[in-house]
Amino acid sequence: MSKRAVLEVIALDVEDAVAAQAGGADRLELVTDMAADGLTPSPRTVAGVRAAVDIAPRVMLRLADGFAAGDVDRLAGVAGELRDAGAEEFVLGFLDADGGVDLAAVERVVGVLDGCPWTFHRAIDRAADRDALRKQLDGLPGLDTYLTAGAATGVDDGLPTLLTEAARQGEPGYEQRILVGGGLRLDHVPPLLAAGVDAFHIGGAARPDGWAGPVSAAAVAQWRRVLDASR
């Protein structure tokens, strides 16, 4: 039997986390302030979510809109606070002014994570050279996933890139799981699954009332059914 595809849902709070788990999500991306495309939540929120659900939250490490690291010492301190609150998985990604990976900032924060698994998020979709970024990050402790739409504008435009990168799985810089998100729709799922992609990330698709409303367990369950039926 083929392995179940991973479904990750963006959660802003405990209510979202409970609904996502009820709908069949495997994992959460825990953030705050979606007006800034998702920033670091409070330690209190992390602790509440950990207490409320069994599925793992990947906690965003991003203190301001954009993809610059900003105050790296502060960021590293926040990462430590989140670990103390129970966070064991993370999401991060920093670029320099030229669109290259800010390797010094990434390495500084990853050092605080001390081997915790983490996702390099959609900063890859704004990178000047995706392949170079992957190869520079290759071998960093804990990096197991890239969250990507294949293009800054979303999966519609990025699908060819996603399929190409899926075909390179296992090459140096391409050992990590591809987690597809960013304008993802149900009709994108069949070609991605056929290419070997086995992880999907939804935000607005889990919220029929938009970002002002909560995650809908029914909406998540629809995605779960489609993913399971397509395997």
Side-chain angles (χ1 to χ4, degrees), residues 63-84:
L63 300 181
D65 200 356
F67 297 103
D71 186 337
V72 179
D73 287 338
R74 180 179 169 225
L75 195 61
V78 168
E81 293 170 6
L82 293 171
R83 290 197 66 197
D84 290 343

Side-chain angles (χ1 to χ4, degrees), residues 41-61:
S42 70
R44 180 178 179 180
T45 298
V46 171
V49 168
R50 288 303 311 268
V53 298
D54 299 322
I55 57 177
R58 290 219 163 182
V59 182
M60 180 65 71
L61 288 171

